[in-house]
Amino acid sequence: MGSHAIAIVGAGPRGIGLLERIAANAPELLHGRLTVHLVDPFPPGPGRVWRFAQSPLLRMNSMPEDVTMFTDDSVQCAGPIRPGPTLAEWVTAVRDGELAATVDSSLLAELRSVTATTFPTRRLQSAYLNWFHSWVLDALPDTVEVRVHATRAVDVTGPPDGVQTVWLADGRELVVDMVVLALGHLDAAPGAEEARLAEYARNHQLRYIPPAYTADLDLSDIEPAETVLSRGFGLAFVDLAVLLTESRGGRFRPDRDGTLTYHPSGREPVLYVGSRRGVPYHAKPRYRLQGPRPELPRFFGPPEIDDLVARPGRLDFRTDVWPLMAKEIGWGYYHELFTGHADKVRLDLDEFADRYAALDWDSTDMRVLVAKAVPDERDRLDLDAVDRPLRDKEFADRASFTTHVLDYVGADLTRRANPSYSADLGAFLTLLSVFGQLARLVAEGKLRPLSQVDDVDGWWFGFFSFFASGPPGHRLRELVALVEAGVVRLVGPDMWVRAEGGRFVAGSPAVPGQVEATTLVEARLPAPSVRRATDPLLRTMFQRGELAEEVLLDAAAEHSTGRILTTGTGLLVDATGWPHPRRFALGPHTSSRAPGAFTRPNTNAVGFRQNDAVARHILAHL
């Protein structure tokens, strides 16, 4: 019945979510008193990414009804469920005076206008996370105390069987029993190719902007009318376009037909964008399911994972795992099509379901079944076509390519706004279930190393983001307006970039011609890299061998994923392969590959389950 202390380094949504689980489980598991130290130079709750101090023009890519920090009855965890409001419910409660929350005056107009199915600013989400942090503090049991340290941790020392000392940048020391690193995505020093491009830029008076959080970039040196290359067409590019256009005084005006026209300020650069696919991420759906939610998982759940784990040897993702995942995604799609749009199908759901269950996803018989049941090709799910919409296409010139992409974006906007295409949402929701199930298979170490690195960390994560984590539809309408105004121009698929002739040069094998530019922006987050991490705490611990990167071994070579190596319970593993019993790490750049710290309600979110398991582990071992 003594006093205990832990430190959570990183007080963003993941760190605060863990704090909530510690508080929820403390009445059952804590013997004595506990002090929790939150260490983060940014505000607790929002943290760095969701801090209020960012452009009011930047928005979330989730609707308020799809965002929660609270566990619900879907979450399968040992700890108690403590439900609470989604972002949408919180907005309504604050607006109606049912919840006390301190909200910046600049958000009052948005609070009055935002609905459950609009896309709010990141600053509104910041206010929700700030309130959640306050709610957690108010709900603490008497045995738990929280202290906030608005600074960085620069080192952690201590033996595996003794107290740990967290060294802070302001010179203070925290003596604790356990330490949790909840650092989110890791900043990284440039890799070899990025360093080469940066040096080339310095030698030729160019600008090279390596991967980073777009909201943190200083773009003030980019000149009006300057030609800029953006390598990447995802969410980072969307933010980049906002900061280089509307943030510089340009304005979008709606036309009578619902389209937008962009009126430049004259301060914009000319922004050329390309990527591997050559098209932007799919817009987030604006509608709800029209039929009942399917019971998931159906074809890729615990029994299937058990079977895969029991197979001898390592698995290949493409041949052993993806067919089951694709069948599960297909089931979510067709379940919604059959239950929500009976006029689009020609078979009874029960008959279709029985025949679907007996067939392999990529079989001729499956294609025959789908063609018989779904007469319109536009209502059939072709995951290969979704993944690479420009595969094997060539264009006569940049103008014809641009027309093709604008038509593609227009069709996507129609599908993601019109509830008659809600089968897309069925697939979207099933992707979330599949993501969670795959996490266990990855944790078991059953995949071949190269398949893990290339297919899961590479292709699958990219496909998931492309299909399920794109921008709000209005951002794509703005993109169309920017293209029509000549401010944004399209490079093409399989974009290549070279540094030659004193310029950055880019092109695409599918589109004739090339583009020369004086600035190159890598419009993406840094890839995981413990070895190149710029965080002083991680760098110091890695140099001492007390923190290791995940390395997958096969008979031919070692394959580094760059992620922080942890055990299945989140314990940090050192360079000798030994897990430290008093140190944990959580987040997307650990070997657990956890998704976002907040999530959609009623999805049995992986992050919530991990937070609960780690909280209970800490409390039990104290």
Side-chain angles (χ1 to χ4, degrees), residues 186-473:
L186 307 181
D187 289 332
E193 173 64 9
E194 295 157 2
R196 184 185 68 82
L197 291 171
E199 182 180 11
Y200 181 85
R202 287 192 297 271
N203 292 339
H204 293 85
Q205 291 74 55
L206 307 176
R207 274 176 289 276
Y208 175 70
I209 301 177
Y213 282 107
T214 310
D216 290 346
L217 296 177
D218 180 2
L219 304 172
S220 59
D221 287 342
I222 295 179
E223 299 287 343
E226 179 184 354
T227 302
V228 175
L229 286 173
S230 169
R231 181 155 55 179
F233 217 161
L235 296 180
F237 167 76
V238 171
D239 289 349
L240 179 70
V242 170
L243 296 176
L244 289 176
T245 58
E246 195 175 7
S247 186
R248 290 191 171 196
R251 292 292 178 263
F252 295 96
R253 305 296 183 195
D255 298 322
R256 290 183 178 180
D257 61 359
T259 60
L260 296 175
T261 297
Y262 182 71
H263 297 272
S265 67
R267 298 167 57 205
E268 301 89 346
V270 178
L271 186 57
Y272 281 85
V273 57
S275 66
R276 184 172 65 91
R277 292 185 178 91
V279 296
Y281 283 12
H282 286 281
K284 273 291 185 72
R286 283 289 305 271
Y287 38 68
R288 298 182 175 98
L289 291 177
Q290 305 300 295
R293 184 184 289 261
E295 292 186 10
L296 299 173
R298 175 76 181 270
F299 300 105
F300 190 67
E304 290 75 25
I305 300 298
D306 289 342
D307 175 69
L308 290 169
V309 170
R311 293 185 191 180
R314 297 285 187 91
L315 303 172
D316 180 80
F317 176 84
R318 291 286 186 175
T319 58
D320 298 317
V321 184
W322 172 243
L324 298 174
M325 295 169 60
K327 187 174 181 179
E328 181 85 341
I329 297 165
W331 172 247
Y333 179 93
Y334 287 116
H335 183 277
E336 170 64 9
L337 187 69
F338 274 76
T339 60
H341 308 281
D343 58 314
K344 294 189 174 188
V345 298
R346 296 294 181 267
L347 285 181
D348 176 80
L349 175 60
D350 291 338
E351 179 185 355
F352 177 81
D354 288 343
R355 295 174 64 181
Y356 185 94
L359 299 174
D360 293 333
W361 168 254
D362 200 25
S363 65
T364 300
D365 289 342
M366 181 68 84
R367 288 189 286 272
V368 170
L369 170 64
V370 169
K372 179 180 179 181
V374 185
D376 192 334
E377 287 189 11
R378 292 173 299 179
D379 293 321
R380 302 172 194 166
L381 181 63
D382 185 340
L383 291 173
D384 289 337
V386 169
D387 181 36
R388 295 301 298 269
L390 301 182
R391 189 189 304 255
D392 299 328
K393 286 183 168 56
E394 295 185 358
F395 300 89
D397 49 38
R398 197 170 305 282
S400 60
F401 169 68
T402 300
T403 298
H404 182 91
V405 172
L406 292 183
D407 290 343
Y408 168 90
V409 171
D412 183 62
L413 285 168
T414 297
R415 289 191 71 100
R416 294 304 177 102
N418 187 341
S420 67
Y421 294 104
S422 66
D424 285 356
L425 180 59
F428 170 88
L429 294 173
T430 311
L431 275 164
L432 301 179
S433 173
V434 165
F435 198 105
Q437 297 297 325
L438 181 63
R440 183 191 155 203
L441 190 64
V442 170
E444 295 281 354
K446 283 294 294 182
L447 290 167
R448 293 174 183 167
L450 197 58
S451 188
Q452 171 70 64
V453 173
D454 292 345
D455 295 328
V456 176
D457 292 345
W459 177 81
W460 162 248
F461 276 35
F463 176 77
F464 179 91
S465 297
F466 174 67
F467 185 80
S469 193

Side-chain angles (χ1 to χ4, degrees), residues 8-146:
I8 301 176
V9 181
R14 170 65 74 173
I16 300 302
L18 176 64
L19 175 63
E20 187 278 328
R21 288 289 83 199
I22 289 172
N25 284 282
E28 175 192 352
L29 299 175
L30 177 63
H31 301 287
R33 298 189 59 81
L34 174 64
T35 298
V36 180
H37 297 276
L38 296 178
V39 183
D40 198 320
F42 295 96
R48 171 188 172 189
V49 173
W50 298 99
R51 67 191 186 274
F52 188 81
Q54 59 183 296
S55 170
L57 296 174
L58 298 178
R59 292 185 175 269
M60 299 182 70
N61 71 326
S62 295
M63 297 183 292
E65 68 178 10
D66 294 334
V67 175
T68 188
M69 283 295 293
F70 289 92
T71 53
D72 54 45
D73 290 339
S74 73
V75 180
Q76 298 173 7
C77 64
I81 300 300
R82 300 206 299 182
T86 63
L87 175 57
E89 293 165 342
W90 176 82
V91 166
T92 300
V94 172
R95 187 167 53 208
D96 295 346
E98 297 173 3
L99 272 181
T102 302
V103 177
D104 189 89
S105 59
S106 64
L107 293 176
L108 295 180
E110 183 177 7
L111 272 173
R112 290 191 292 268
S113 62
V114 71
T115 71
T117 56
T118 54
F119 291 89
T121 64
R122 294 183 194 167
R123 298 173 86 178
L124 187 64
Q125 172 69 356
S126 179
Y128 173 64
L129 293 171
N130 183 64
W131 170 84
F132 176 75
H133 171 244
S134 298
W135 180 90
V136 172
L137 296 184
D138 291 342
L140 289 175
D142 293 339
T143 53
V144 179
E145 174 192 10
V146 173

